[in-house]
Amino acid sequence: MHIDSTLQIGAYHLQNCEDYLFHDNIGTNRLLCAVMDGCTMGTDSYFIATMVGKLLRKIVKERHYLEFIQPSRLSLSEQLKHIIQQLFQELKLLKNQLQLEQREMLTTIIVFLLDHNAGTGLIVGDGVVSIDGEVTIFEQDNKPDYLGYHLQEDFEIWYTKQAIMNVASFKDLSISTDGISSFMALEGGETDLDPIAYLLFDSGVLEKKLKYLEHQVGLRPTDDLAIIRVRHANDEGAPG
């Protein structure tokens, strides 16, 4: 699989990028990828978005080492649930250890576990998922039901209420924070170019495409943006 990613601060955010992303192999054939978007109305939201990514990295490393001893026989859905349960517990522990308040724990998360050409994903809050050109926009009227609202609840009950996407097969899969919907012509220019289609469908490197959008087309995301795109080797296309 070919993995491309990008993280960019939005034009309307002057101090910190409140988005974060993470991807890494978990075991021999499986890949975990996630994008997070800290709540702008929260407190130090860049911290919790980054912390979720760091915790996922810790979880993936632990499970990757265990694979050498005893390869996992869990299905994708079962393993993703185990990962999110550990994340849930780690966040609860972190909140208590650092005496964090709820408004410091507010981040969306889209996380996918991929194996060859199949996958399963969890979506908590706003964001975008694209699978072979079919885009699904998760939008909650700018009032996402953040994971941080539910850390004192029973995990099993919470998990059954979440949006889960099971993908039987794919050639080109992207996950993004909702910043991908925030592109504007900040200098007053106009264009018919669709940034979502350009970034998630067309071949080419994401960083280069963002520079093209800004310097050639005059479009920039006003909100922070995190994108991960995963394509199979025979579907990479020409580099951009």
Side-chain angles (χ1 to χ4, degrees):
M1 289 185 286
H2 173 78
I3 306 165
D4 191 11
S5 64
T6 188
L7 180 67
Q8 179 169 319
I9 190 170
Y12 290 173
H13 288 193
L14 302 179
Q15 294 182 326
N16 299 295
C17 179
E18 295 170 351
D19 286 9
Y20 197 74
L21 59 81
F22 168 78
H23 57 82
D24 201 358
N25 293 319
I26 179 167
T28 304
N29 298 315
R30 293 185 173 180
L31 171 74
L32 188 82
C33 49
V35 293
M36 286 67 66
D37 178 5
C39 173
T40 301
M41 301 306 293
T43 301
D44 298 331
S45 296
Y46 61 90
F47 169 77
I48 188 59
T50 303
M51 186 57 63
V52 168
K54 300 299 186 183
L55 288 174
L56 286 173
R57 183 182 69 178
K58 170 181 178 289
I59 293 167
V60 165
K61 282 187 175 181
E62 290 173 350
R63 293 172 184 263
H64 190 79
Y65 292 144
L66 290 174
E67 283 283 323
F68 290 107
I69 303 171
Q70 184 177 1
S72 174
R73 297 182 179 179
L74 296 174
S75 68
L76 284 172
S77 296
E78 291 170 333
Q79 188 172 30
L80 179 64
K81 182 179 178 181
H82 282 209
I83 291 168
I84 299 303
Q85 185 170 23
Q86 184 174 348
L87 175 65
F88 197 91
Q89 294 167 346
E90 298 266 12
L91 282 172
K92 185 186 297 186
L93 180 62
L94 179 72
K95 182 177 185 292
N96 293 334
Q97 286 180 330
L98 299 183
Q99 298 184 19
L100 299 174
E101 298 181 5
Q102 187 182 78
R103 65 176 180 267
E104 297 175 278
M105 303 294 293
L106 304 183
T107 182
T108 67
I109 178 171
I110 298 179
V111 54
F112 264 79
L113 183 62
L114 307 174
D115 185 352
H116 299 295
N117 65 338
T120 185
L122 168 76
I123 298 90
V124 182
D126 296 340
V128 173
V129 177
S130 172
I131 302 171
D132 295 336
E134 182 176 344
V135 175
T136 303
I137 298 176
F138 295 86
E139 202 276 329
Q140 299 176 338
D141 296 324
N142 266 338
K143 298 177 182 178
D145 191 18
Y146 297 108
L147 174 59
Y149 290 151
H150 303 281
L151 293 177
Q152 304 308 315
E153 299 178 10
D154 180 89
F155 172 79
E156 293 289 343
I157 296 175
W158 173 82
Y159 196 79
T160 59
K161 300 176 182 178
Q162 302 312 302
I164 304 292
M165 291 186 70
N166 293 308
V167 183
S169 65
F170 75 92
K171 294 182 179 179
D172 187 346
L173 183 148
S174 298
I175 59 176
S176 173
T177 56
D178 63 355
I180 199 170
S181 301
S182 72
F183 278 85
M184 289 184 62
L186 298 182
E187 303 302 324
E190 294 184 5
T191 177
D192 293 330
L193 181 63
D194 179 1
I196 294 179
Y198 178 61
L199 291 169
L200 304 187
F201 304 164
D202 290 357
S203 62
V205 178
L206 287 171
E207 290 284 351
K208 290 183 178 180
K209 289 198 282 188
L210 281 174
K211 290 185 182 298
Y212 173 80
L213 286 172
E214 179 177 358
H215 299 295
Q216 301 298 320
V217 184
L219 294 177
R220 285 187 62 191
T222 56
D223 195 7
D224 301 333
L225 174 63
I227 306 173
I228 300 175
R229 187 176 182 186
V230 181
R231 290 173 287 169
H232 290 292
N234 59 2
D235 194 58
E236 290 181 21

